[in-house]
Amino acid sequence: MADMQSSYDKLFPTQVLFFVALTMLVNLALVTLAYSFLWEQPFFPVLQKEKHYFEQTISVEAATATRFTGDSLYNTMFVDSGIERVAYASLEDNPDDLAGQVLRKTTAAGRIFDNLFDYLLLLCHRFSFFLSTLGYLVFLLVAIAMHATVIRHRKRYEFGDTPILMNLWARSTLSYAFPVTFLIWTLPFAIHPALLLASIVGCVGGMLFWAFSMPKIA
């Protein structure tokens, strides 16, 4: 049987991996360098500002539950695993590490670690909010998939097909929807939950457009 995958299809997972890695590298550079040295601001107020946004938009109980789940995830990944402890332990005095002694005499190292782990905590809170949002959208996604499958099956017994241009537009919309959503949800700034929800709705809308523009089964 002939291989139906093109060279682009085989390269796609690599492109996704490098896009995610590059995005996170830029965000971490902003957190560790821009916040710590350029703006000379701690990242913790960003956590507090976004917490205020959530409490204003959704109920305080829902915001508290979201933060609790995010805190639990953060503790599992970075506290219980010992990553945070090892990172801060590297700031302790070590007579054999001359370069480290110079760095530890300044407040830069501690500030960098504080901002870095606060950003990771922010991502855990957003991921918790994403999971709670996905709980409401999963039924819609299943309904979309089932309905699109039925429509595509019916097209086999009808004349004509979905215009190629419409299918290309749908694929282009979906190809932009996922990376834009990922960029928004990982930004190292306080983001209003309405914008986070709008990005999810836009992503689901792109999936909906793509699902109903698929050509009929040959």
Side-chain angles (χ1 to χ4, degrees), residues 96-114:
D96 298 329
D97 187 7
L98 298 179
Q101 287 183 5
V102 176
L103 180 62
R104 283 188 287 270
K105 289 180 180 179
T106 66
T107 60
R111 188 189 309 135
I112 288 175
F113 281 139
D114 290 341

PDB file of all heavy atoms in Angstrom, residues 96-114:
ATOM      1  N   ASP A  96      33.638  26.385  46.432  1.00  0.00           N
ATOM      2  CA  ASP A  96      34.299  25.937  45.208  1.00  0.00           C
ATOM      3  C   ASP A  96      33.752  26.623  43.959  1.00  0.00           C
ATOM      4  O   ASP A  96      34.369  26.546  42.897  1.00  0.00           O
ATOM      5  CB  ASP A  96      34.150  24.420  45.056  1.00  0.00           C
ATOM      6  CG  ASP A  96      34.812  23.675  46.202  1.00  0.00           C
ATOM      7  OD1 ASP A  96      35.815  24.200  46.733  1.00  0.00           O
ATOM      8  OD2 ASP A  96      34.313  22.587  46.571  1.00  0.00           O
ATOM      9  N   ASP A  97      32.606  27.272  44.078  1.00  0.00           N
ATOM     10  CA  ASP A  97      31.963  27.913  42.928  1.00  0.00           C
ATOM     11  C   ASP A  97      32.210  29.412  43.017  1.00  0.00           C
ATOM     12  O   ASP A  97      31.440  30.158  43.605  1.00  0.00           O
ATOM     13  CB  ASP A  97      30.467  27.597  42.916  1.00  0.00           C
ATOM     14  CG  ASP A  97      29.788  28.102  41.648  1.00  0.00           C
ATOM     15  OD1 ASP A  97      30.498  28.564  40.732  1.00  0.00           O
ATOM     16  OD2 ASP A  97      28.542  28.033  41.590  1.00  0.00           O
ATOM     17  N   LEU A  98      33.318  29.880  42.427  1.00  0.00           N
ATOM     18  CA  LEU A  98      33.692  31.291  42.516  1.00  0.00           C
ATOM     19  C   LEU A  98      32.731  32.174  41.721  1.00  0.00           C
ATOM     20  O   LEU A  98      32.323  33.238  42.186  1.00  0.00           O
ATOM     21  CB  LEU A  98      35.119  31.491  41.999  1.00  0.00           C
ATOM     22  CG  LEU A  98      36.210  30.749  42.784  1.00  0.00           C
ATOM     23  CD1 LEU A  98      37.577  31.014  42.169  1.00  0.00           C
ATOM     24  CD2 LEU A  98      36.185  31.157  44.257  1.00  0.00           C
ATOM     25  N   ALA A  99      32.369  31.715  40.510  1.00  0.00           N
ATOM     26  CA  ALA A  99      31.444  32.507  39.707  1.00  0.00           C
ATOM     27  C   ALA A  99      30.073  32.579  40.373  1.00  0.00           C
ATOM     28  O   ALA A  99      29.409  33.614  40.355  1.00  0.00           O
ATOM     29  CB  ALA A  99      31.314  31.911  38.301  1.00  0.00           C
ATOM     30  N   GLY A 100      29.657  31.469  40.980  1.00  0.00           N
ATOM     31  CA  GLY A 100      28.378  31.470  41.666  1.00  0.00           C
ATOM     32  C   GLY A 100      28.369  32.363  42.878  1.00  0.00           C
ATOM     33  O   GLY A 100      27.351  32.969  43.215  1.00  0.00           O
ATOM     34  N   GLN A 101      29.510  32.506  43.544  1.00  0.00           N
ATOM     35  CA  GLN A 101      29.574  33.388  44.699  1.00  0.00           C
ATOM     36  C   GLN A 101      29.347  34.835  44.301  1.00  0.00           C
ATOM     37  O   GLN A 101      28.678  35.590  45.014  1.00  0.00           O
ATOM     38  CB  GLN A 101      30.942  33.240  45.383  1.00  0.00           C
ATOM     39  CG  GLN A 101      31.110  31.942  46.152  1.00  0.00           C
ATOM     40  CD  GLN A 101      32.451  31.884  46.852  1.00  0.00           C
ATOM     41  OE1 GLN A 101      33.210  32.846  46.837  1.00  0.00           O
ATOM     42  NE2 GLN A 101      32.733  30.754  47.473  1.00  0.00           N
ATOM     43  N   VAL A 102      29.896  35.228  43.176  1.00  0.00           N
ATOM     44  CA  VAL A 102      29.685  36.600  42.693  1.00  0.00           C
ATOM     45  C   VAL A 102      28.219  36.835  42.382  1.00  0.00           C
ATOM     46  O   VAL A 102      27.644  37.879  42.709  1.00  0.00           O
ATOM     47  CB  VAL A 102      30.554  36.864  41.451  1.00  0.00           C
ATOM     48  CG1 VAL A 102      30.270  38.258  40.884  1.00  0.00           C
ATOM     49  CG2 VAL A 102      32.025  36.726  41.795  1.00  0.00           C
ATOM     50  N   LEU A 103      27.584  35.847  41.743  1.00  0.00           N
ATOM     51  CA  LEU A 103      26.170  35.994  41.402  1.00  0.00           C
ATOM     52  C   LEU A 103      25.289  35.994  42.646  1.00  0.00           C
ATOM     53  O   LEU A 103      24.319  36.752  42.735  1.00  0.00           O
ATOM     54  CB  LEU A 103      25.746  34.861  40.458  1.00  0.00           C
ATOM     55  CG  LEU A 103      24.286  34.855  39.980  1.00  0.00           C
ATOM     56  CD1 LEU A 103      23.987  36.126  39.184  1.00  0.00           C
ATOM     57  CD2 LEU A 103      24.000  33.628  39.139  1.00  0.00           C
ATOM     58  N   ARG A 104      25.632  35.174  43.626  1.00  0.00           N
ATOM     59  CA  ARG A 104      24.807  35.076  44.825  1.00  0.00           C
ATOM     60  C   ARG A 104      24.907  36.309  45.712  1.00  0.00           C
ATOM     61  O   ARG A 104      24.034  36.545  46.545  1.00  0.00           O
ATOM     62  CB  ARG A 104      25.195  33.817  45.610  1.00  0.00           C
ATOM     63  CG  ARG A 104      24.643  32.525  45.021  1.00  0.00           C
ATOM     64  CD  ARG A 104      24.909  31.355  45.946  1.00  0.00           C
ATOM     65  NE  ARG A 104      26.314  30.979  45.938  1.00  0.00           N
ATOM     66  CZ  ARG A 104      26.839  30.079  45.092  1.00  0.00           C
ATOM     67  NH1 ARG A 104      26.069  29.474  44.211  1.00  0.00           N
ATOM     68  NH2 ARG A 104      28.127  29.772  45.152  1.00  0.00           N
ATOM     69  N   LYS A 105      25.973  37.083  45.551  1.00  0.00           N
ATOM     70  CA  LYS A 105      26.099  38.310  46.325  1.00  0.00           C
ATOM     71  C   LYS A 105      25.123  39.385  45.861  1.00  0.00           C
ATOM     72  O   LYS A 105      24.867  40.351  46.560  1.00  0.00           O
ATOM     73  CB  LYS A 105      27.535  38.841  46.248  1.00  0.00           C
ATOM     74  CG  LYS A 105      28.529  37.995  47.024  1.00  0.00           C
ATOM     75  CD  LYS A 105      29.927  38.566  46.926  1.00  0.00           C
ATOM     76  CE  LYS A 105      30.918  37.710  47.714  1.00  0.00           C
ATOM     77  NZ  LYS A 105      32.311  38.242  47.613  1.00  0.00           N
ATOM     78  N   THR A 106      24.618  39.240  44.657  1.00  0.00           N
ATOM     79  CA  THR A 106      23.596  40.137  44.145  1.00  0.00           C
ATOM     80  C   THR A 106      22.221  39.510  44.374  1.00  0.00           C
ATOM     81  O   THR A 106      22.092  38.353  44.722  1.00  0.00           O
ATOM     82  CB  THR A 106      23.802  40.402  42.640  1.00  0.00           C
ATOM     83  OG1 THR A 106      23.577  39.174  41.923  1.00  0.00           O
ATOM     84  CG2 THR A 106      25.219  40.878  42.366  1.00  0.00           C
ATOM     85  N   THR A 107      21.194  40.310  44.149  1.00  0.00           N
ATOM     86  CA  THR A 107      19.818  39.811  44.291  1.00  0.00           C
ATOM     87  C   THR A 107      19.267  39.285  42.974  1.00  0.00           C
ATOM     88  O   THR A 107      18.100  38.914  42.906  1.00  0.00           O
ATOM     89  CB  THR A 107      18.912  40.933  44.809  1.00  0.00           C
ATOM     90  OG1 THR A 107      18.936  42.034  43.874  1.00  0.00           O
ATOM     91  CG2 THR A 107      19.362  41.418  46.179  1.00  0.00           C
ATOM     92  N   ALA A 108      20.106  39.268  41.941  1.00  0.00           N
ATOM     93  CA  ALA A 108      19.613  38.905  40.607  1.00  0.00           C
ATOM     94  C   ALA A 108      19.162  37.456  40.556  1.00  0.00           C
ATOM     95  O   ALA A 108      18.097  37.145  40.009  1.00  0.00           O
ATOM     96  CB  ALA A 108      20.696  39.158  39.565  1.00  0.00           C
ATOM     97  N   ALA A 109      19.955  36.550  41.136  1.00  0.00           N
ATOM     98  CA  ALA A 109      19.628  35.129  41.028  1.00  0.00           C
ATOM     99  C   ALA A 109      18.308  34.813  41.713  1.00  0.00           C
ATOM    100  O   ALA A 109      17.444  34.122  41.155  1.00  0.00           O
ATOM    101  CB  ALA A 109      20.755  34.297  41.629  1.00  0.00           C
ATOM    102  N   GLY A 110      18.135  35.314  42.941  1.00  0.00           N
ATOM    103  CA  GLY A 110      16.880  35.071  43.649  1.00  0.00           C
ATOM    104  C   GLY A 110      15.698  35.672  42.939  1.00  0.00           C
ATOM    105  O   GLY A 110      14.616  35.077  42.876  1.00  0.00           O
ATOM    106  N   ARG A 111      15.890  36.869  42.354  1.00  0.00           N
ATOM    107  CA  ARG A 111      14.801  37.523  41.633  1.00  0.00           C
ATOM    108  C   ARG A 111      14.419  36.726  40.398  1.00  0.00           C
ATOM    109  O   ARG A 111      13.231  36.596  40.066  1.00  0.00           O
ATOM    110  CB  ARG A 111      15.229  38.934  41.246  1.00  0.00           C
ATOM    111  CG  ARG A 111      14.101  39.793  40.656  1.00  0.00           C
ATOM    112  CD  ARG A 111      14.615  41.098  40.097  1.00  0.00           C
ATOM    113  NE  ARG A 111      15.453  41.786  41.076  1.00  0.00           N
ATOM    114  CZ  ARG A 111      16.628  42.338  40.770  1.00  0.00           C
ATOM    115  NH1 ARG A 111      17.109  42.228  39.553  1.00  0.00           N
ATOM    116  NH2 ARG A 111      17.310  42.969  41.691  1.00  0.00           N
ATOM    117  N   ILE A 112      15.407  36.181  39.702  1.00  0.00           N
ATOM    118  CA  ILE A 112      15.130  35.390  38.495  1.00  0.00           C
ATOM    119  C   ILE A 112      14.323  34.150  38.849  1.00  0.00           C
ATOM    120  O   ILE A 112      13.331  33.821  38.187  1.00  0.00           O
ATOM    121  CB  ILE A 112      16.446  35.008  37.797  1.00  0.00           C
ATOM    122  CG1 ILE A 112      17.069  36.241  37.139  1.00  0.00           C
ATOM    123  CG2 ILE A 112      16.214  33.922  36.758  1.00  0.00           C
ATOM    124  CD1 ILE A 112      18.425  35.983  36.542  1.00  0.00           C
ATOM    125  N   PHE A 113      14.730  33.438  39.896  1.00  0.00           N
ATOM    126  CA  PHE A 113      14.008  32.234  40.292  1.00  0.00           C
ATOM    127  C   PHE A 113      12.591  32.570  40.763  1.00  0.00           C
ATOM    128  O   PHE A 113      11.639  31.831  40.459  1.00  0.00           O
ATOM    129  CB  PHE A 113      14.767  31.500  41.391  1.00  0.00           C
ATOM    130  CG  PHE A 113      15.926  30.698  40.889  1.00  0.00           C
ATOM    131  CD1 PHE A 113      17.133  30.679  41.582  1.00  0.00           C
ATOM    132  CD2 PHE A 113      15.838  29.954  39.717  1.00  0.00           C
ATOM    133  CE1 PHE A 113      18.207  29.935  41.122  1.00  0.00           C
ATOM    134  CE2 PHE A 113      16.904  29.224  39.247  1.00  0.00           C
ATOM    135  CZ  PHE A 113      18.099  29.207  39.948  1.00  0.00           C
ATOM    136  N   ASP A 114      12.446  33.663  41.498  1.00  0.00           N
ATOM    137  CA  ASP A 114      11.108  34.068  41.950  1.00  0.00           C
ATOM    138  C   ASP A 114      10.190  34.331  40.762  1.00  0.00           C
ATOM    139  O   ASP A 114       9.046  33.858  40.724  1.00  0.00           O
ATOM    140  CB  ASP A 114      11.198  35.318  42.826  1.00  0.00           C
ATOM    141  CG  ASP A 114      11.844  35.032  44.171  1.00  0.00           C
ATOM    142  OD1 ASP A 114      11.887  33.850  44.561  1.00  0.00           O
ATOM    143  OD2 ASP A 114      12.303  35.993  44.820  1.00  0.00           O
TER     144      ASP A 114
END
